[in-house]
Amino acid sequence: MKKIINSPEQVVEEMLQGVALAHPQYVKRLEGFNVLVRAGAPSPKVALVSGGGSGHEPTHGGFVGKGMLDGAVAGAVFTSPTPDQVFEAVKAVNGGKGVLLVIKNYTGDVLNFEMAGEMAAAEGIEVEKVVVDDDVAVENSTWTTGRRGIAGTLFVHKIAGAKAEAGGSLAEVKRVAEKVIANVRSMGMALSPCTVPAAGKPSFTLAEDEVEIGMGIHGEPGTHREALRPADEIVAHLMDKILADNPVAAGDEVAVMVNGLGGTPLMELYVVNRKVAEILGAKGAAIAKTYVGNLMTSLEMAGFSITVLKLDREIKELLLAPADTPAFVQF
Amino acid sequence: MKKIINSPEQVVEEMLQGVALAHPQYVKRLEGFNVLVRAGAPSPKVALVSGGGSGHEPTHGGFVGKGMLDGAVAGAVFTSPTPDQVFEAVKAVNGGKGVLLVIKNYTGDVLNFEMAGEMAAAEGIEVEKVVVDDDVAVENSTWTTGRRGIAGTLFVHKIAGAKAEAGGSLAEVKRVAEKVIANVRSMGMALSPCTVPAAGKPSFTLAEDEVEIGMGIHGEPGTHREALRPADEIVAHLMDKILADNPVAAGDEVAVMVNGLGGTPLMELYVVNRKVAEILGAKGAAIAKTYVGNLMTSLEMAGFSITVLKLDREIKELLLAPADTPAFVQF
Amino acid sequence: MTNVYVAAIEAIGEAMIRNKEYLTDLDAAIGDADHGINMVRGFEAVRGKLGALPPEADLATVLKTVAMTLISTVGGASGPLYGTAFLRAAAVAQGKSAVDGATAVSLFMAAVNGIKERGKATRGEKTMLDALEPAYEAFAAGVGDNKPLPDCLELACAAAERGIEYTKTIVATKGRASYLGERSLGHQDPGATSSYILLKALNDFCRRRPAEEA
Amino acid sequence: MTNVYVAAIEAIGEAMIRNKEYLTDLDAAIGDADHGINMVRGFEAVRGKLGALPPEADLATVLKTVAMTLISTVGGASGPLYGTAFLRAAAVAQGKSAVDGATAVSLFMAAVNGIKERGKATRGEKTMLDALEPAYEAFAAGVGDNKPLPDCLELACAAAERGIEYTKTIVATKGRASYLGERSLGHQDPGATSSYILLKALNDFCRRRPAEEA
Ligand SMILES: Nc1ncnc2c1ncn2[C@@H]1O[C@H](COP(=O)(O)OP(=O)(O)O)[C@@H](O)[C@H]1O
Ligand SMILES: Nc1ncnc2c1ncn2[C@@H]1O[C@H](COP(=O)(O)OP(=O)(O)O)[C@@H](O)[C@H]1O
Ligand SMILES: [Mg+2]
Ligand SMILES: [Mg+2]
Ligand SMILES: [Mg+2]
Ligand SMILES: [Mg+2]
């Protein structure tokens, strides 16, 4: 394992210190907890709290700031944070208008955030939750845990965050978040695995010419493995899956995110975006905004995901509203 | 070679198309050239043009926009662009107030940009140039080509760009750029190599426990190889070199950039920043602003560089001025 | 004199440490390769917290300490699930000075029900419940037949072990392994395995000591 | 009838293609592993451009076409340097209908001086000049001694080859290899090597043809 760290045990703690030292204008560390909150928290608006295992940076701590999150809770690498940590975040950001928990659909995240919500409710804090499940790689079914939450979660942070910043009530912020969740779909693929520092070895192996399609962001296996194909073919396959689940028609407006998993050069992400734009263009859809970058990563995993969000007037306006956070700034 | 591309021959072209499709608000492609210019170019201010080999994304195309660059010229991967391409960029962005070429100190970049400057001068366009040489890994000497230009170049883009945006004359913009160059120092290290698509194989190899200190951003060898050490020790070594060349004293104000080379998770960059801040704090220096991210990359190389810029009132103000580009936005 | 409840929990913790890599490897195959790491992080914290308890701490206090510590250190799916199990058991133990057969059955039942409610899962979904629920039933049946408690625990372990084998034959519909669909077939569930390890460690502990408590 | 100048340049291009990997590997050791790729990209473009010239194109036109094409396709350090060399040679060739010894010498000198001025380098800095300048001197000496031009070219090649060997013994102080300091010792300069390959290809070309031109 080749990593620029001091020790696997200290890596989350030292990362959080590094973030707080880098961005004092934006965030402060809750002493004694793996929690970053907005520098000015609490503020008199609905607050958003998200979080999950570490290793997805800049998610979630990088999105704490104006127009996005109020608090981010960091678990151990790839392990959901515990309820007491989430509860502390909720208490620290609650400005009296209530708190929305944005949860990615993993059993661990859901259970821990739910327990935190119960603890907060017991203290009289108004808490609501939404569960993001944008990953179409996994079949949805009411009999299973359903789809996973991946990069599309950032659109929830951005859009619900803008609604809260604009003074929306907890119910309104939740409604908007759920509208985004209903309209956002993603799918990814991986070229190479990543190594959880505490594990010390890659969580899976791929042959030199093999890729994993539908890869999860914690190294969970995807739908299948196949030989590496040209970028355009891979993109076409992922877009097929995404649009099958959430079709776009001529005249629809969408936002796009081409997300790198951490080890893939931006050069390749732009090659991907070229084909994504071509496919959407051929369907007659208009792309209102495109984001390309390493936003929801899996440590140093090579690969990417594509996210398509169908817009209506309301969520488009909220998407394009200003935001100012360490990892996402928009005028 | 495992890359998400269609072909090594097409990768720069398709990347540029992908950038133009992703960010029409910010940039437009000069048809027939590997050049990205501001969407509204030319504008009636001093224009900044930079560029270099591709493979350092988001450098330079990602920094075209308000308050930074007016044009970016992309060469083949890791190969300086040719003079005719640079010349086209200069012509397209020249708004009559002159053009500053920001060149990284590599023989190829210097020669090609110089020739472009001569071509522009021959057409009556006022052109000045600055050469960035922030990499302290390489000994400086008037008898050699001197130090290399690496991530510190982005501070030149930002600060000279702000001066131009504020209406500074070509001479003023150049003076500010040179002040930044005089005060900025960087040094990096690599954990793993990268593969130039056209070459198809990694440009060097490192053993499983070996790192290269003082690595160049094109895979050029650094000062030496050594066994992987804890992050804090590596950072202390790089900071020693940087501060030996450009000492900071108690009361000095600095800006810091912890730059990932493409394959290193943000988590590790923040662990690095923690130690950087500690070292500067121990010297009594105040950190006015910290940037952490993959800004000047070497494809998928794992590793990082640290940049320290000493500020005075003028360059601090220009550094903190707003900017709006695809890869760098600041309120 | 050491607190027998504390000693029993410590024996469970040691078993988790011994099986850390095994549990993690099972999770690597169908999950995210952290189950052993999670359990050990939790039980190492538990050891610290139990060490700070007064020697006369009663069962409810010990169980509640285990619960709160697991909840606040394990994370993932298993943290809230095992945490809730211990919390519910603690509630049943409240005020009880000794554990007879009926008490042991209701402790066990409360724990299993806690997991079912928290995780909204039932038997047959390839989770820890596939080990725990049959183990509970075997235990309760033994108590019903007036067997000595250590024998009942032995029966529970055997049932849990069969539960592990059973998880290999079914597709996961809860937890992270459910994303795999058919590809989860043939693999044994890590959480069912840690449940068996827990019961087995308790059983071994009881065998090593005069059978004064369960 | 094919244009002899075009044919000579094409022979050089083929030699670069044959040595693409060799030159790139030399550059990998002390540079950035692209010199062969750069030269081939340039000379492949040159072939296309020369193909579009009228068959009666004169030497100046051919050299200028080569120059402009190399400048606009090679990039890196070698592009402007070789481009400038051909551009300066083209200026000397302007208006000349045949190449005699004196013309050949001044062509060659203009090319070498172009590289020196553009790159601000001198001999002994581990660059292409360590092959080209001795080659030029040997060539000029041969012409001074009234040797036939092909023999002069042969002398130039031999000198360039010795120049390559010499680059192994010195530390680079110009170009990308200069960043290596002492570590560049023992390695042969890629640009000096491509210069030798160019001269050698020209020499071979002349030997294959009736020696009407240099
Ligand atoms: N809904 C559920 N009900 C009961 N047990 C569950 C449920 N979801 C997951 N589990 C158990 O949790 C185990 C995984 O635990 P762990 O790896 O620690 O958490 P995570 O899946 O969050 O990484 C699974 O093997 C399974 O036995
Ligand atoms: N200043 C200079 N003067 C003459 N030749 C030079 C100079 N700098 C570099 N070179 C030559 O250029 C060669 C490298 O060319 P190339 O690899 O194509 O460019 P780059 O170094 O930009 O990648 C070197 O081997 C050297 O011979
Ligand atoms: Mg986990
Ligand atoms: Mg090069
Ligand atoms: Mg797990
Ligand atoms: Mg080179």
Side-chain angles (χ1 to χ4, degrees):
Chain A
M1 179 178 62
K2 224 170 176 181
K3 288 185 183 287
I4 308 157
I5 61 174
N6 291 303
S7 80
E9 293 72 33
Q10 283 304 305
V11 68
V12 172
E13 169 63 28
E14 294 185 352
M15 166 185 74
L16 290 169
Q17 289 179 20
V19 174
L21 286 163
H23 310 298
Q25 303 92 331
Y26 292 111
V27 298
K28 63 177 185 225
R29 171 84 184 271
L30 274 196
E31 272 323 313
F33 296 93
N34 290 345
V35 173
L36 294 166
V37 300
R38 269 170 81 164
S43 59
K45 62 169 208 61
V46 169
L48 271 77
V49 170
S50 192
S54 292
H56 306 302
E57 292 69 29
T59 298
H60 294 277
F63 303 117
V64 173
K66 184 161 178 289
M68 291 186 82
L69 299 177
D70 297 274
V73 193
V77 176
F78 291 176
T79 300
S80 353
T82 57
D84 54 317
Q85 303 272 337
V86 179
F87 179 42
E88 288 301 322
V90 167
K91 281 192 290 186
V93 300
N94 174 42
K97 297 267 166 65
V99 179
L100 181 70
L101 303 177
V102 181
I103 311 172
K104 293 191 296 305
N105 191 30
Y106 299 94
T107 305
D109 290 54
V110 171
L111 296 183
N112 286 288
F113 275 79
E114 263 176 14
M115 284 178 84
E118 290 166 20
M119 290 158 90
E123 293 233 345
I125 303 175
E126 208 187 342
V127 179
E128 290 285 352
K129 68 164 207 275
V130 293
V131 180
V132 190
D133 62 346
D134 55 318
D135 186 355
V136 299
V138 176
E139 295 299 325
N140 197 8
S141 150
T142 41
W143 301 108
T144 70
T145 23
R147 294 187 305 246
R148 299 178 289 220
I150 57 171
T153 309
L154 304 186
F155 279 134
V156 181
H157 295 345
K158 173 66 192 76
I159 290 163
K163 187 73 187 172
E165 204 71 45
S169 70
L170 183 54
E172 284 169 331
V173 173
K174 181 178 178 181
R175 177 185 57 75
V176 162
E178 282 178 337
K179 203 203 274 188
V180 175
I181 294 169
N183 285 285
V184 69
R185 295 293 185 279
S186 307
M187 187 161 162
M189 61 83 69
L191 294 180
S192 70
C194 60
T195 299
V196 173
K201 58 184 182 198
S203 44
F204 59 95
T205 48
L206 284 169
E208 180 46 39
D209 66 338
E210 205 182 27
V211 304
E212 177 99 28
I213 302 292
M215 191 72 219
I217 55 170
H218 307 91
E220 304 99 332
T223 57
H224 65 283
R225 292 180 174 192
E226 59 178 40
L228 177 61
R229 291 187 284 162
D232 284 359
E233 289 179 28
I234 301 171
V235 172
H237 175 72
L238 300 185
M239 286 296 284
D240 270 357
K241 292 283 218 170
I242 290 170
L243 298 181
D245 206 273
N246 195 27
V248 301
D252 280 352
E253 239 187 333
V254 298
V256 168
M257 188 191 311
V258 177
N259 172 57
L261 295 182
T264 284
L266 211 44
M267 170 179 274
E268 298 175 31
L269 300 182
Y270 278 112
V271 170
V272 166
N273 183 59
R274 176 184 157 278
K275 186 68 183 175
V276 171
E278 183 188 301
I279 290 171
L280 288 168
K283 302 238 176 245
I287 303 170
K289 185 87 189 175
T290 301
Y291 301 96
V292 179
N294 290 298
L295 295 164
M296 171 83 78
T297 62
S298 299
L299 296 173
E300 70 280 5
M301 193 182 288
F304 70 99
S305 65
I306 301 169
T307 299
V308 178
L309 167 66
K310 274 182 16 186
L311 302 172
D312 65 7
R313 198 195 167 95
E314 180 184 36
I315 62 176
K316 177 180 174 186
E317 204 169 283
L318 292 166
L319 176 67
L320 300 182
D324 194 15
T325 75
F328 186 95
V329 189
Q330 185 171 279
F331 272 91
Chain B
M1 179 178 61
K2 225 170 176 180
K3 290 186 183 287
I4 308 157
I5 61 175
N6 291 302
S7 80
E9 293 72 34
Q10 284 302 307
V11 69
V12 172
E13 169 62 28
E14 294 185 353
M15 167 186 75
L16 290 169
Q17 289 180 21
V19 174
L21 285 162
H23 310 298
Q25 302 93 331
Y26 291 111
V27 298
K28 65 177 184 225
R29 171 83 185 271
L30 274 197
E31 272 325 312
F33 296 92
N34 290 346
V35 173
L36 294 165
V37 299
R38 270 170 81 164
S43 59
K45 62 168 208 60
V46 170
L48 271 76
V49 169
S50 192
S54 292
H56 307 301
E57 292 69 29
T59 299
H60 293 275
F63 303 117
V64 173
K66 185 163 175 287
M68 290 185 82
L69 298 178
D70 296 273
V73 193
V77 176
F78 290 176
T79 301
S80 352
T82 57
D84 53 318
Q85 302 272 337
V86 180
F87 178 44
E88 288 302 322
V90 167
K91 281 192 290 184
V93 301
N94 174 42
K97 298 268 166 61
V99 179
L100 181 70
L101 303 176
V102 181
I103 311 172
K104 293 193 294 306
N105 191 30
Y106 299 94
T107 306
D109 289 54
V110 171
L111 297 183
N112 286 287
F113 275 78
E114 264 177 11
M115 285 179 83
E118 290 167 20
M119 291 159 89
E123 293 233 344
I125 303 175
E126 206 187 344
V127 180
E128 289 284 351
K129 68 165 207 274
V130 293
V131 179
V132 190
D133 62 346
D134 55 318
D135 186 355
V136 299
V138 176
E139 295 301 326
N140 197 9
S141 148
T142 41
W143 302 106
T144 71
T145 21
R147 295 186 305 244
R148 298 177 289 219
I150 58 172
T153 309
L154 304 185
F155 279 133
V156 180
H157 295 345
K158 174 65 192 74
I159 289 163
K163 186 73 188 173
E165 205 69 45
S169 69
L170 182 55
E172 284 168 331
V173 173
K174 182 178 177 183
R175 177 186 57 75
V176 161
E178 283 179 336
K179 202 203 276 187
V180 175
I181 294 169
N183 285 285
V184 70
R185 295 293 185 280
S186 306
M187 186 161 163
M189 61 82 70
L191 293 179
S192 70
C194 61
T195 299
V196 173
K201 59 184 182 199
S203 43
F204 59 96
T205 47
L206 284 169
E208 180 47 37
D209 66 340
E210 203 183 27
V211 303
E212 177 100 27
I213 302 293
M215 190 72 219
I217 56 171
H218 308 91
E220 303 99 333
T223 56
H224 65 282
R225 292 181 173 190
E226 58 177 44
L228 178 61
R229 293 187 284 161
D232 285 358
E233 291 180 26
I234 301 171
V235 171
H237 175 71
L238 300 185
M239 286 296 284
D240 271 356
K241 292 284 219 170
I242 290 169
L243 298 182
D245 206 272
N246 195 28
V248 301
D252 281 352
E253 240 188 333
V254 298
V256 167
M257 189 191 311
V258 177
N259 172 57
L261 295 182
T264 284
L266 212 43
M267 171 178 274
E268 298 175 30
L269 300 183
Y270 278 112
V271 170
V272 166
N273 182 59
R274 176 185 158 278
K275 185 67 183 176
V276 171
E278 184 188 301
I279 290 170
L280 288 168
K283 301 238 177 246
I287 303 170
K289 184 86 188 179
T290 301
Y291 301 97
V292 179
N294 290 298
L295 296 164
M296 170 83 77
T297 61
S298 299
L299 296 172
E300 70 278 7
M301 193 182 288
F304 70 99
S305 64
I306 302 169
T307 299
V308 177
L309 168 66
K310 275 186 8 192
L311 302 172
D312 65 8
R313 199 194 166 96
E314 180 184 36
I315 63 176
K316 177 179 175 187
E317 203 169 282
L318 293 166
L319 176 67
L320 299 181
D324 195 14
T325 74
F328 185 96
V329 188
Q330 183 171 280
F331 273 91
Chain C
M1 206 197 77
T2 55
N3 182 310
V4 65
Y5 306 121
V6 170
I9 299 291
E10 279 174 352
I12 293 172
E14 280 152 25
M16 292 301 167
I17 291 172
R18 278 194 306 276
N19 288 285
K20 179 176 176 181
E21 221 181 310
Y22 174 52
L23 290 172
T24 299
D25 288 347
L26 290 174
D27 198 26
I30 55 170
D32 59 350
D34 63 359
H35 188 54
I37 299 169
N38 292 345
M39 295 304 286
V40 167
R41 184 172 51 243
F43 275 97
E44 278 182 343
V46 162
R47 181 167 49 192
K49 293 281 181 188
L50 292 182
L53 287 182
E56 68 280 8
D58 66 2
L59 178 58
T61 305
V62 170
L63 290 174
K64 194 171 172 209
T65 304
V66 173
M68 297 313 285
T69 309
L70 291 181
I71 289 173
S72 68
T73 57
V74 175
S78 52
L81 292 168
Y82 279 124
T84 300
F86 279 95
L87 203 58
R88 296 291 178 87
V92 171
Q94 196 62 47
K96 302 253 158 67
S97 58
V99 181
D100 60 10
T103 307
V105 169
S106 36
L107 277 176
F108 204 156
M109 187 177 73
V112 173
N113 282 340
I115 291 173
K116 286 169 92 167
E117 284 167 30
R118 175 62 63 201
K120 299 188 188 69
T122 55
R123 218 155 136 174
E125 302 203 87
K126 195 165 184 140
T127 70
M128 50 178 73
L129 286 172
D130 292 317
L132 283 177
E133 201 166 51
Y136 161 70
E137 287 170 3
F139 185 83
V143 172
D145 294 347
N146 284 315
K147 296 203 172 122
L149 286 188
D151 291 2
C152 298
L153 201 48
E154 186 82 43
L155 291 169
C157 282
E161 201 167 5
R162 286 192 299 275
I164 292 181
E165 289 306 311
Y166 170 62
T167 63
K168 293 186 189 167
T169 68
I170 55 175
V171 166
T173 53
K174 281 281 163 7
R176 207 177 290 274
S178 70
Y179 305 132
L180 281 176
E182 301 285 320
R183 287 163 89 192
S184 72
L185 271 179
H187 293 282
Q188 136 184 9
D189 181 61
T193 310
S194 61
S195 289
Y196 164 72
I197 289 167
L198 186 156
L199 292 170
K200 180 76 169 46
L202 200 60
N203 187 30
D204 291 350
F205 176 82
C206 294
R207 304 257 144 210
R208 282 200 306 272
R209 297 186 67 98
E212 52 208 58
E213 281 109 345
Chain D
M1 207 199 78
T2 55
N3 181 311
V4 66
Y5 307 121
V6 169
I9 299 290
E10 279 173 353
I12 293 171
E14 281 152 24
M16 292 300 166
I17 292 172
R18 278 196 307 276
N19 288 284
K20 179 177 176 180
E21 223 181 308
Y22 174 51
L23 290 172
T24 299
D25 287 348
L26 290 175
D27 198 26
I30 55 170
D32 60 350
D34 64 359
H35 188 55
I37 300 169
N38 292 345
M39 296 304 287
V40 167
R41 185 173 50 244
F43 276 96
E44 278 182 344
V46 162
R47 181 167 47 195
K49 293 281 181 190
L50 292 183
L53 287 182
E56 68 281 8
D58 66 1
L59 178 58
T61 306
V62 170
L63 289 175
K64 192 167 174 212
T65 304
V66 174
M68 298 312 285
T69 310
L70 291 181
I71 289 173
S72 68
T73 57
V74 175
S78 52
L81 291 168
Y82 279 123
T84 301
F86 279 96
L87 204 57
R88 297 289 178 87
V92 171
Q94 196 64 46
K96 303 252 155 70
S97 58
V99 181
D100 59 11
T103 308
V105 169
S106 38
L107 276 177
F108 204 156
M109 187 176 72
V112 173
N113 283 339
I115 291 175
K116 286 169 93 168
E117 283 166 31
R118 176 60 64 202
K120 298 188 188 68
T122 54
R123 217 156 137 175
E125 303 204 85
K126 195 169 184 136
T127 71
M128 50 178 72
L129 286 173
D130 292 317
L132 283 177
E133 201 167 47
Y136 161 69
E137 288 170 2
F139 185 81
V143 173
D145 294 348
N146 286 315
K147 294 202 174 125
L149 285 189
D151 291 2
C152 298
L153 202 48
E154 187 81 43
L155 291 170
C157 283
E161 203 167 3
R162 285 191 301 272
I164 293 181
E165 289 307 311
Y166 169 62
T167 63
K168 292 186 190 166
T169 69
I170 55 175
V171 167
T173 53
K174 280 283 162 7
R176 208 176 289 275
S178 69
Y179 305 132
L180 282 175
E182 300 287 319
R183 287 162 89 192
S184 72
L185 270 179
H187 293 283
Q188 135 184 8
D189 181 60
T193 310
S194 61
S195 289
Y196 164 72
I197 289 168
L198 186 154
L199 292 171
K200 181 75 169 46
L202 200 59
N203 187 33
D204 290 350
F205 176 81
C206 294
R207 305 253 146 213
R208 281 199 308 272
R209 297 186 66 98
E212 53 209 55
E213 280 108 347

